[in-house]
């Protein structure tokens, strides 16, 4: 009796369904560990290209920092009395760029007694022009200093000729934007002829646009020897011949700024252009190259649309009686394997 009851209990335990805590069934997109309880946390599967929100935010923040870390590089050029010096001061105050003037740099190198300064001084004492390679080396050394690399630079009035521009191109020195102040010749002549300087303070005045404060200052003002109408016209001819040679070198970054308006209106144009240039640099750093993206997309589409390789279909293997000499099981298996190999190689069963 006891043995029959034990057998009945064993059969009922064998036929009863499993409990909920034995093992969870597998759900699509999740992995469950065998033997885990119902309340155990599932592991969600994700494809290899997916990123968590925290990772996406970190990568985006790094891209913004990299875009801001890329400083602005600006070149500005203009005819004599075009207001280039005034606009350079405003640009420097607004964007914090390092202002580099070739003339000021040359005088500073001579005063410091550097190697480039000594070579330039020899030519200047002889009344000769300083060669382009010396000036280019000065500009290159200044642009490679830490402040210019971190804050960006504003190159004032340089390059002035095609040879200087090509020398900078050889050194891989190229601006993000080239500002060209465009002022009519009549206004330029009027500005130059009426320009005066104070020998005591060094301040520049203009008899019409910026007159002196009192009669005492007006009495001591002087005029440069080359601030005459004849000299100005000769300087303008030289300037235009040099600028025409620069247009072909910087044709994709050069922008003409209308400079015959007030100082604030001219700077408003420059401010808009520089802000746009900064936005483009940031977008370029944050987004991949459009050409590379299109190339990858084209390659992916062509790979997906490529027709699949046609599969070879062989006729089914004919069942033939085993030869009389093969009686063992091992011999029959070897005989069938040989028939299958010959069938795959020739495409038809071999007798």
């Amino acid at each position: 009796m006891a043995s029959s009851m034990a057998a009945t209990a064993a059969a009922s335990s064998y036929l009863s369904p499993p409990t909920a805590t034995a093992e969870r069934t597998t759900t699509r997109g999740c992995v469950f560990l065998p033997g885990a309880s119902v309340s155990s946390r599932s592991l969600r599967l994700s494809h290899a290209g997916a990123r968590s929100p925290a990772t996406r935010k970190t990568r985006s923040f790094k891209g913004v920092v990299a875009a801001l870390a890329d400083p602005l590089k600006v070149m500005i050029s203009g005819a004599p009395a075009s207001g280039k010096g005034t606009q350079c001061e405003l640009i420097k105050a607004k964007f914090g760029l390092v202002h580099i003037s070739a003339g000021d740099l040359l005088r500073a190198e001579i005063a410091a007694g550097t190697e480039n300064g000594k070579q330039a001084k020899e030519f200047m004492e002889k009344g000769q022009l300083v060669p382009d390679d010396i000036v280019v080396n000065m500009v290159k050394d200044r642009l490679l200093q830490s402040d210019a690399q971190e804050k960006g630079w504003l190159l004032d009035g340089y390059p002035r000729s095609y040879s200087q521009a090509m020398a900078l191109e050889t050194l891989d020195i190229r601006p993000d934007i080239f500002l060209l102040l465009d002022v009519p010749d009549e206004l330029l002549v009027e500005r130059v002829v009426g320009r005066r300087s104070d020998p005591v303070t060094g301040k520049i005045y203009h008899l019409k646009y910026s007159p002196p404060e009192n009669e005492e200052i007006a009495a001591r003002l002087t005029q440069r020897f080359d601030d005459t109408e004849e000299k100005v016209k000769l300087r303008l001819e030289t300037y235009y011949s040099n600028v025409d040679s620069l247009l072909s070198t910087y044709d994709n970054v050069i922008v003409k700024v209308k400079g015959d308006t007030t100082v604030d209106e001219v700077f408003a144009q420059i401010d808009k252009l520089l802000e746009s240039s900064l936005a483009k640099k940031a977008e370029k750093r944050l987004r991949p190259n459009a050409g590379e993206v299109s190339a990858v997309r084209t390659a992916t589409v062509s790979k997906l649309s490529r027709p699949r390789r046609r599969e070879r279909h062989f006729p089914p293997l004919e069942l033939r009686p085993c030869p009389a000499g093969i009686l063992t099981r091992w011999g029959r298996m070897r005989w069938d394997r040989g028939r299958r190999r010959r069938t795959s190689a020739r495409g038809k069963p071999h007798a």
Side-chain angles (χ1 to χ4, degrees), residues 322-328:
C322 180
I326 302 177
L327 300 179
T328 62

Side-chain angles (χ1 to χ4, degrees), residues 21-70:
T21 59
E23 182 175 352
R24 299 179 64 185
T25 57
T26 304
T27 308
R28 183 179 181 183
C30 302
V31 173
F32 301 102
L33 300 178
S37 60
V38 177
S39 60
S40 62
R41 185 178 179 182
S42 62
L43 302 177
R44 180 69 60 181
L45 294 179
S46 61
H47 59 277
R51 302 188 184 97
S52 63
T55 306
R56 288 194 295 268
K57 185 181 295 184
T58 304
R59 291 175 62 90
S60 177
F61 177 75
K62 290 181 179 180
V64 173
V65 172
L68 296 178
D70 190 11

